[in-house]
Amino acid sequence: TARSVLREEMGLEPAPETKAQLAKLMSSMPASTNLPLLPDPLIGRASEEAALVEMIARGRLVTLLGPGGIGKSGLALAVGRQRLADYDDGVWFVNLAGVQGAEGLYGAIGATLEIEFHGSSPLLEQLCLALAQEERLLIMDNFEHLATVGEGLLALLEAAPRLRLLVTSRVRLSLPAERTLLLGGLAPDAGLALFERHARRVSPGYSLSEEECTAVDRIHRLVDGLPLGIELAAIWIEHYACSEIADSIAVTRMFLDS
């Protein structure tokens, strides 16, 4: 896309340095994954990451639970990338946002894994046959709206004994084989570090003063440690002081709670 824009709007090709970086990146990417690269290392999730790794090693269906914006997808991707070498057929990310119904679920899995469906046989049956001998970890992201059709996952696990599933969801799937990890808000020190990281994106070189740390700690409490809430608050640092951002969030919460 960048090459097309450069060529069409400026009559240029990417610089040799850019091409070299792309080649380096592509050569380092395993062929057995489609995992998106995380823009930054995770902050404040070391214990949860270790717990999730252990749960996947012990159970074949693990659900990472939590509200929107808590960081479920990022944590799942970090764990998947960490365990790439554990699965002969790779670790794959299935984005289920907007997918509807059981057939949509099976179709999304098939499209991600480039499985071609043929004839009139049920999609689930064809998926089971295709995955039967494979060793994969599938990260099923944004599953909450498909929880009522989650039983198909049990059929996949039964047909493919070396398949493991890591699901991110706002609700439990309530399946017999399911293990769950509830993801909570960040600890205060992690909240400070996350705020500073995102503030620097709009104000390079930004550093929290002691007074601002107090205000950011208040922001952290007002958004219940929600990473997305902290990130959204940080982007206002270019225009407002931390105390003003905290005051604005407090007024908004008061209005929403009333």
Side-chain angles (χ1 to χ4, degrees):
T1 301
R3 181 182 287 116
S4 297
V5 172
L6 281 171
R7 184 183 299 119
E8 294 172 7
E9 298 190 6
M10 303 179 67
L12 299 173
E13 290 292 327
E17 294 83 356
T18 304
K19 293 180 179 179
Q21 287 293 332
L22 175 61
K24 182 179 178 181
L25 175 63
M26 295 302 291
S27 65
S28 68
M29 286 290 290
S32 57
T33 187
N34 69 336
L35 295 183
L37 289 172
L38 290 172
D40 297 295
L42 295 181
I43 289 178
R45 293 300 193 194
S47 61
E48 292 92 339
E49 187 171 350
L52 196 55
V53 167
E54 183 176 354
M55 291 179 71
I56 294 171
R58 293 176 177 272
R60 298 179 59 213
L61 172 59
V62 177
T63 302
L64 183 58
L65 292 166
I70 201 69
K72 301 184 296 295
S73 300
L75 179 57
L77 288 172
V79 168
R81 190 160 291 279
Q82 181 188 143
R83 311 313 298 180
L84 273 174
D86 294 351
Y87 302 94
D88 289 346
D89 297 294
V91 180
W92 299 85
F93 182 80
V94 185
N95 185 356
L96 297 171
V99 171
Q100 298 297 323
E103 295 301 292
L105 169 61
Y106 309 143
I109 296 172
T112 298
L113 302 181
E114 298 184 352
I115 295 171
E116 296 185 6
F117 297 111
H118 300 284
S120 58
S121 299
L123 298 189
L124 179 57
E125 181 179 314
Q126 295 188 55
L127 269 183
C128 288
L129 288 172
L131 297 176
Q133 303 302 319
E134 297 194 349
E135 183 180 29
R136 295 181 188 265
L137 171 64
L138 297 186
I139 299 175
M140 316 287 288
D141 195 43
N142 297 305
F143 205 94
E144 52 273 352
H145 60 292
L146 296 167
T148 57
V149 298
E151 289 190 0
L153 300 183
L154 297 181
L156 286 176
L157 291 172
E158 183 177 354
R162 297 195 299 164
L163 176 69
R164 292 179 187 269
L165 303 176
L166 172 55
V167 176
T168 74
S169 176
R170 301 184 188 188
V171 299
R172 287 177 169 81
L173 308 189
S174 299
L175 297 174
E178 182 185 24
R179 293 169 177 252
T180 60
L181 177 64
L182 180 61
L183 194 60
L186 292 174
D189 58 339
L192 288 173
L194 185 64
F195 184 95
E196 191 170 59
R197 170 192 281 177
H198 283 271
R200 285 175 178 166
R201 291 183 175 174
V202 296
S203 183
Y206 175 81
S207 181
L208 284 168
S209 66
E210 185 175 341
E211 180 181 350
E212 288 170 323
C213 284
T214 301
V216 173
D217 184 64
R218 184 181 173 214
I219 291 171
H220 173 273
R221 286 184 279 106
L222 285 167
V223 301
D224 300 319
L226 190 75
L228 181 59
I230 295 169
E231 293 170 13
L232 292 175
I235 66 175
W236 289 102
I237 200 66
E238 190 175 16
H239 304 288
Y240 301 100
C242 293
S243 58
E244 293 175 313
I245 298 171
D247 289 342
S248 178
I249 295 173
V251 170
T252 302
R253 281 205 60 160
M254 188 183 304
F255 175 77
L256 292 174
D257 293 342
S258 63

